[in-house]
Amino acid sequence: MAQTITAEGRVPLTAKRAVAVFGIGVIGFMTANLVPIMIVALTEDAGFSVTAAGTLMTASLLACAASCLLTSRWAAASGRYVIARAGLALTAAGFGAAAFIPSEPVVIAGVILGGLGAGGAVSSAGAALGALRNPDRASGISGFSNRAIVSVVLFVIPILGAGMGSAFGLFAGLALAALLAAGWLPDRPAAEPDAAAAALGVAAGTAAPAASKTTRTATLAGLALLACFALWGLSEDSLWAVAATMGADQAGLDETGMGLVLSLSTLGGLAGSALVALAGRRLGRTLPLAVVLVAGAAMKFVSGMVEDSGLYMVVIIIWNTLYLIAFVYIIAIAAALDASGKWSAPALGVYLIGSSFAPFLGTAVSASAGYEALGILLSVMTLVLLVPFVLISRYSVRAEKAASAAPVAAVA
């Protein structure tokens, strides 16, 4: 007996799925968000030098990125539950050991193993994100959840005291709590659509060649998106790496001003991601992304020339807000390209790869050529990346619409 399976195969967002996908994703990516506080804990509480602490956290981030990339294919297939549970357990064990066992070798091993486990959480949550309907809204909620939860954690840790127990121990506890939600992750869709064949209205006799062409196009789009995302992460985080020193050297911005920038940037990011989540598909995907990238490039260009502290703060806050909106749309593109999570699973991993080299690029260029040259370089990088991002976004919209329109017949 024949039955009809919806072509897209994506599932609606429920409370349990939201807790699992967004919660596990936030926990997995939290290593990158807590780096400054973790470095403080390692230097002031564990006795590491600043250089050693920075090197250790770089190793942890690279372990997170490598783990995400290595497990992403399995997470996109049938292994996301195993990967999520194993990753969260390893994160809890590694960071827990680093927090409560005062031994330098244990701390080093624990921080690296914690990062390794976090990568599994990132890939499993990223793959599950692809299974949700309305990728734009889901990605917006994901970005909002990330900023909101990280803001709370960043508020709580200083109250507890920025030591190993709070910086790493709290993280370990959150990873254990997220373990309870791992079983709520949405699974890979049972039926995958042939998006391009539907989009082109291919007749039965020519479906196979068209499907083959579609697979090649989708693969090329996915690989190009990952490469561009890594380069974009390098561009964005290179500015963030020198934002404080640039503000101090060029605009006379003090620590209080930089703290205000961080707080207002967080609020701007929350507002931007909430806007994307509420709008869903209504604003489209390609045009908003293009506008945000152009505006972000302009802010980067201006940042290297501003000499007034108040104006510098405004520029950095606007840029940081635009950054998160663009980030959300890029993740939405990755999720829309394949409902199994084939591209959304490794997306954050490649971003971390690019991000890990950002401090080197930012400091090297600004030290050798100045902040103005850095601003010009980063703005040009963004505008160059704008072209493939727009093309891939347009393809993702077409593929998603075709997948939703064309049912896939299955035999019971």
Side-chain angles (χ1 to χ4, degrees), residues 11-367:
V11 295
L13 182 63
T14 62
K16 286 185 175 181
R17 288 170 184 152
V19 170
V21 176
F22 306 139
I24 292 174
V26 169
I27 297 301
F29 204 61
M30 194 173 285
T31 309
N33 291 311
L34 296 186
V35 163
I37 286 181
M38 288 178 168
I39 289 178
V40 170
L42 287 167
T43 54
E44 295 185 358
D45 198 18
F48 284 72
S49 67
V50 174
T51 302
T55 302
L56 179 57
M57 289 313 303
T58 297
S60 182
L61 288 175
L62 288 175
C64 179
S67 174
C68 176
L69 294 176
L70 290 173
T71 59
S72 60
R73 192 167 184 176
W74 186 19
S78 58
R80 64 190 60 173
Y81 301 106
V82 174
I83 294 170
R85 293 186 177 107
L88 290 168
L90 187 58
T91 297
F95 286 144
F100 302 113
I101 300 178
S103 166
E104 185 172 310
V106 172
V107 170
I108 292 173
V111 171
I112 294 175
L113 288 175
L116 199 67
V122 169
S123 68
S124 58
L129 183 66
L132 298 175
R133 292 177 188 166
N134 199 332
D136 303 288
R137 175 166 295 165
S139 297
I141 297 173
S142 178
F144 182 87
S145 303
N146 186 291
R147 280 295 174 102
I149 294 173
V150 168
S151 296
V152 172
V153 172
L154 289 174
F155 176 77
V156 169
I157 289 178
I159 294 176
L160 299 175
M164 296 295 289
S166 57
F168 291 96
L170 180 60
F171 196 165
L174 290 172
L176 283 176
L179 262 173
L180 301 175
W184 298 341
L185 288 171
D187 204 352
R188 173 191 174 108
E192 293 188 42
D194 179 355
L200 296 174
V202 181
T206 59
S212 177
K213 181 179 179 180
T214 298
T215 301
R216 290 194 300 270
T217 305
T219 300
L220 179 61
L223 291 174
L225 179 69
L226 295 183
C228 290
F229 199 25
L231 292 172
W232 183 76
L234 172 64
S235 167
E236 297 296 309
D237 287 351
S238 291
L239 178 56
W240 186 244
V242 300
T245 56
M246 183 192 297
D249 296 342
Q250 182 175 278
L253 190 67
D254 56 16
E255 291 183 4
T256 303
M258 199 61 203
L260 183 60
V261 168
L262 288 172
S263 300
L264 294 178
S265 294
T266 299
L267 291 176
L270 285 170
S273 54
L275 176 63
V276 177
L278 290 173
R281 291 190 176 99
R282 287 192 291 273
L283 292 177
R285 181 181 304 147
T286 305
L287 181 59
L289 176 61
V291 170
V292 168
L293 289 176
V294 170
M299 292 301 102
K300 291 177 188 175
F301 181 80
V302 173
S303 68
M305 304 176 185
V306 175
E307 297 182 352
D308 178 76
S309 60
L311 184 56
Y312 180 80
M313 290 172 63
V314 171
V315 168
I316 295 300
I317 290 167
I318 294 174
W319 161 72
N320 215 346
T321 302
L322 294 169
Y323 153 79
L324 186 62
I325 296 174
F327 187 98
V328 165
Y329 275 117
I330 294 169
I331 294 296
I333 294 170
L337 282 174
D338 194 296
S340 72
K342 182 178 181 180
W343 305 113
S344 56
L348 290 180
V350 299
Y351 178 88
L352 285 176
I353 293 291
S355 177
S356 64
F357 292 98
F360 171 77
L361 177 64
T363 55
V365 174
S366 60

